Amino acid sequence: NAGCDPEIHKRLSVERSHDIGFVGTDGGVPRKFYLQEMRERYPNSFIGSADYKEMSKIYSSSKIGFSFAIRGECFTMRNYEIMACGAMLLMKRLRDDSAERLGFIDKKHLVTFDGPNDLFKLIDYYLKNKKEREYIAENGYKFTIEKHTYEQRLRDMVETVKNRFNLK
């Protein structure tokens, strides 16, 4: 499973000046349609490609980080990166329970949407409700930094190997 690197994916002390943040390619249908509609409805956003060194600044300056996986239905690196930078993660609901199995709870650590109408209702709601948005963003940030860094993943793997082979 993916995670974040707190040396690269970190919350910076910058103004949250973007409504929406998305770093990546438009991909195929339907993600490109979601992104195009967001560009039109929320022009005060960063939606596009950027060097990985710029990612922390973009997500740290975003109120909402958007995620819509185009390859498979899984919890992606982008999800961790968004939360590690302190933006509220708004992601397409997964078909399975992988987010829950990782400990993430909808409306506590992140927010999930089911389709375009739901997406735009949620964006409008959370842009207007700063306190609630920041509460979710802070919970997601703390949980990600505490439980979902690459260092934590390595510790978990070492522990699994130790247990599997009865090593001390």
Side-chain angles (χ1 to χ4, degrees), residues 21-79:
F22 173 83
V23 178
T25 64
D26 281 8
V29 176
R31 184 166 85 183
K32 69 179 180 178
F33 294 118
Y34 282 94
L35 294 173
Q36 187 54 41
E37 187 69 23
M38 282 190 283
R39 285 183 185 103
E40 292 173 20
R41 289 186 188 210
Y42 311 100
N44 186 32
S45 298
F46 182 97
I47 299 170
S49 297
D51 187 273
Y52 80 94
K53 295 177 207 138
E54 295 295 312
M55 193 182 308
S56 287
K57 186 174 184 199
I58 293 163
Y59 287 135
S60 291
S61 64
S62 299
K63 296 169 186 164
I64 297 171
F66 175 74
S67 179
F68 188 114
I70 54 174
R71 280 190 285 275
E73 287 277 329
C74 63
F75 207 78
T76 66
M77 269 182 63
R78 180 179 289 112
N79 297 1

Side-chain angles (χ1 to χ4, degrees), residues 15 40 43 66 70 72 84 91 102 110 123 125 140 154:
E15 181 188 347
E40 292 173 20
F66 175 74
I70 54 174
M91 64 177 265
L102 291 165
L110 49 80
I123 291 173
Y125 177 82
L154 285 172

Side-chain angles (χ1 to χ4, degrees), residues 39-162:
R39 285 183 185 103
E40 292 173 20
R41 289 186 188 210
Y42 311 100
N44 186 32
S45 298
F46 182 97
I47 299 170
S49 297
D51 187 273
Y52 80 94
K53 295 177 207 138
E54 295 295 312
M55 193 182 308
S56 287
K57 186 174 184 199
I58 293 163
Y59 287 135
S60 291
S61 64
S62 299
K63 296 169 186 164
I64 297 171
F66 175 74
S67 179
F68 188 114
I70 54 174
R71 280 190 285 275
E73 287 277 329
C74 63
F75 207 78
T76 66
M77 269 182 63
R78 180 179 289 112
N79 297 1
Y80 295 111
E81 294 161 356
I82 289 168
M83 290 187 290
C85 293
M88 186 193 86
L89 172 61
L90 180 58
M91 64 177 265
K92 175 84 169 75
R93 186 182 312 277
L94 302 175
R95 288 186 198 139
D96 66 12
D97 65 347
S98 58
E100 292 82 5
R101 280 185 281 123
L102 291 165
F104 291 101
I105 300 167
D106 190 21
K107 306 272 190 302
K108 179 180 179 185
H109 301 112
L110 49 80
V111 176
T112 60
F113 69 92
D114 289 306
N117 293 336
D118 193 31
L119 170 66
F120 296 114
K121 266 194 266 183
L122 288 167
I123 291 173
D124 291 341
Y125 177 82
Y126 284 106
L127 286 177
K128 289 178 189 144
N129 292 276
K130 179 180 179 179
K131 193 174 179 181
E132 205 172 333
R133 180 185 74 236
E134 289 180 349
Y135 171 80
I136 294 167
E138 185 65 16
N139 286 336
Y141 168 78
K142 286 178 178 173
F143 190 65
T144 298
I145 295 303
E146 181 184 317
K147 300 283 187 187
H148 296 286
T149 63
Y150 292 132
E151 183 178 336
Q152 186 62 45
R153 290 286 178 267
L154 285 172
R155 283 187 189 143
D156 294 346
M157 287 176 9
V158 168
E159 197 59 37
T160 299
V161 170
K162 282 181 177 178

